[in-house]
Amino acid sequence: MNDFYLQTALFYLVIINAVTFFMYGIDKLKAKKSMWRIPETTLLFMAMLGGSIGAWLGMKVWHHKTLHKKFRYGVPVIILAQLALVVFLTSCSSNNIPQGSKVTEIVKRGTLLVGTTGDYRPLSFYEPQGLQEQYVTEQSPGISRQSADITQDDGAYWGFCIDVAKEIAKTLGVKTAFIRTSWPTLTADVMAEPQTFDLAIGGITITDARREIMLMSDGYLDNGKTILCRAAESSKYKSLADLDKPEVQVMVNPGGLNEKFAHEKLTHATISVHPKNEEIPTLIAEGKADVMITEITEAPYYVMTDSRLAAPLLDKPFTHGEMGVLMRKGQEDLLQVVNNTIKKMKSDGSLRRLKDKYKLP
């Protein structure tokens, strides 16, 4: 059940039972003083409205209505009926997982198989376990070593999207296992037969092209194209036009929307493709290229961890979009679980807290 609704329900029950309890006490006092009484129907109605525990305690504490059969037997019956309703609603809530072939398969397996590139700090990143503690404690302020969650089932993957995937698995009541994919092979891996993984996550932008052939969830993180450059040269780049020059060397990773954007928007710049996305920021800092096309979700991390870098256009992204979870068509039941999880994380504040944890906008 959504935490907000649960807290509201508990608040209501506390108030209604407290009011009912004191109403029984007031009616007892009125009876002793031969004053105008609270109607019995009102006292029973308060119990039926959720104040049955307060009514029962009022009867015991104030020694009131204990000999009246409608109260002596009626209030306990109301309590039992309400407890049965709570059990029923709790059962419905805990089983509020769409049943379909894919969800059934995942639950039976006991593990959600998650495809991710593992090259996109701080959303999805894979590092050898020997380096993990160094990265988490020294280069990622605000991210504890426990956040990396180096366990048998997910190795050394860590990041914002990794945590979102774990929440999806939690909704299903299963564990997570992360499987490496890549930007050039992402679509093929999602569509592979037999399936390599159940869904893909980690910096994947929602696009019409992807939605035409695959399923994409609701958005859970805003994004947009921006640049990384050397801090000493950041004043040179004030617009897209400043990048679109032959003397500007632009570096991108292969197969994703960064490469597509560069080739479509920077027709005059000198574009090079480097196979490992996570290495490009260092290459920019070392002068091997001038600019990296990246996202507003990725750039702040590298600026924060490498003083040689800057993101001068971070507040003026070239594009606007959202990131989502990707999966093959025919898995609408799993898509519903993912969307329900995203909706819950937005409403209960856990998604915002996760963004703050990873210093995301």
Side-chain angles (χ1 to χ4, degrees):
M1 183 184 292
N2 185 289
D3 288 348
F4 171 78
Y5 294 117
L6 179 60
Q7 292 172 8
T8 302
L10 290 175
F11 178 76
Y12 170 79
L13 289 174
V14 169
I15 296 300
I16 191 69
N17 279 281
V19 170
T20 304
F21 175 79
F22 286 110
M23 283 180 66
Y24 275 67
I26 292 170
D27 192 56
K28 178 67 174 183
L29 181 64
K30 287 177 176 287
K32 288 182 177 181
K33 294 184 177 182
S34 300
M35 297 172 63
W36 175 84
R37 304 283 300 283
I38 299 174
E40 290 186 343
T41 53
T42 300
L43 294 175
L44 286 172
F45 187 63
M46 291 297 291
M48 288 187 286
L49 285 178
S52 55
I53 300 298
W56 184 81
L57 289 174
M59 291 171 61
K60 298 298 181 181
V61 172
W62 309 118
H63 303 289
H64 190 48
K65 301 293 185 183
T66 55
L67 299 179
H68 293 240
K69 289 185 177 180
K70 66 174 70 174
F71 288 89
R72 185 177 180 182
Y73 299 110
V75 171
V77 168
I78 293 172
I79 292 175
L80 291 175
Q82 290 175 345
L83 287 175
L85 179 61
V86 169
V87 171
F88 173 74
L89 292 177
T90 302
S91 175
C92 289
S93 177
S94 63
N95 292 304
N96 191 25
I97 298 176
Q99 294 301 306
S101 58
K102 174 48 65 174
V103 168
T104 302
E105 175 189 331
I106 294 169
V107 172
K108 185 177 180 180
R109 184 199 304 141
T111 304
L112 177 67
L113 303 179
V114 180
T116 191
T117 60
D119 64 351
Y120 198 151
R121 298 188 186 101
L123 303 186
S124 164
F125 204 80
Y126 177 85
E127 290 164 321
Q129 293 188 17
L131 297 177
Q132 182 68 30
E133 186 168 1
Q134 175 188 346
Y135 273 101
V136 171
T137 57
E138 296 179 8
Q139 299 192 35
S140 307
I143 305 175
S144 66
R145 188 176 194 280
Q146 286 72 26
S147 301
D149 199 11
I150 302 174
T151 61
Q152 187 176 4
D153 65 298
D154 65 6
Y157 285 94
W158 63 271
F160 174 82
C161 296
I162 298 300
D163 287 354
V164 172
K166 290 176 183 176
E167 284 298 316
I168 296 169
K170 183 179 177 182
T171 300
L172 291 165
V174 299
K175 299 185 298 181
T176 51
F178 295 95
I179 298 169
R180 197 72 176 265
T181 183
S182 69
W183 296 110
T185 65
L186 177 62
T187 298
D189 289 345
V190 170
M191 306 288 284
E193 288 288 355
Q195 270 188 281
T196 308
F197 43 75
D198 302 311
L199 55 81
I201 195 171
I204 303 172
T205 301
I206 299 171
T207 66
D208 291 336
R210 284 174 173 152
R211 278 180 161 163
E212 283 181 8
I213 59 174
M214 294 173 284
L215 298 176
M216 289 219 72
S217 73
D218 297 335
Y220 61 84
L221 183 64
D222 293 335
N223 74 330
K225 299 299 176 192
T226 190
I227 64 167
L228 271 178
C229 66
R230 285 180 291 282
E233 299 177 354
S234 61
S235 61
K236 293 171 54 177
Y237 307 114
K238 295 183 173 66
S239 67
L240 196 62
D242 294 330
L243 307 176
D244 195 19
K245 299 175 180 179
E247 64 269 23
V248 179
Q249 297 183 48
V250 177
M251 188 174 286
V252 293
N253 62 303
L257 294 183
N258 290 338
E259 182 183 13
K260 183 174 184 290
F261 175 87
H263 284 296
E264 288 180 354
K265 303 297 183 181
L266 304 175
T267 57
H268 299 97
T270 302
I271 299 173
S272 61
V273 178
H274 187 75
K276 294 186 177 181
N277 182 70
E278 68 272 22
E279 294 179 354
I280 299 178
T282 301
L283 295 175
I284 298 296
E286 293 175 348
K288 303 295 172 51
D290 300 314
V291 169
M292 174 188 184
I293 299 298
T294 181
E295 306 277 357
I296 60 173
T297 49
E298 183 179 35
Y301 176 88
Y302 288 102
V303 172
M304 181 174 60
T305 57
D306 191 333
S307 60
R308 298 173 297 173
L309 296 171
L313 301 175
L314 192 61
D315 60 342
K316 299 175 182 178
F318 305 129
T319 64
H320 298 274
E322 285 187 292
M323 293 179 179
V325 180
L326 183 68
M327 66 194 77
R328 69 196 304 163
K329 287 190 174 182
Q331 298 185 168
E332 283 75 12
D333 56 331
L334 179 58
L335 179 66
Q336 186 176 341
V337 171
V338 171
N339 284 337
N340 288 345
T341 302
I342 292 171
K343 182 179 179 180
K344 176 181 179 299
M345 292 181 72
K346 287 179 178 179
S347 65
D348 66 16
S350 60
L351 192 65
R352 180 66 264 172
R353 290 191 294 272
L354 204 57
K355 291 176 182 178
D356 293 341
K357 170 183 172 182
Y358 289 100
K359 305 288 192 290
L360 292 168

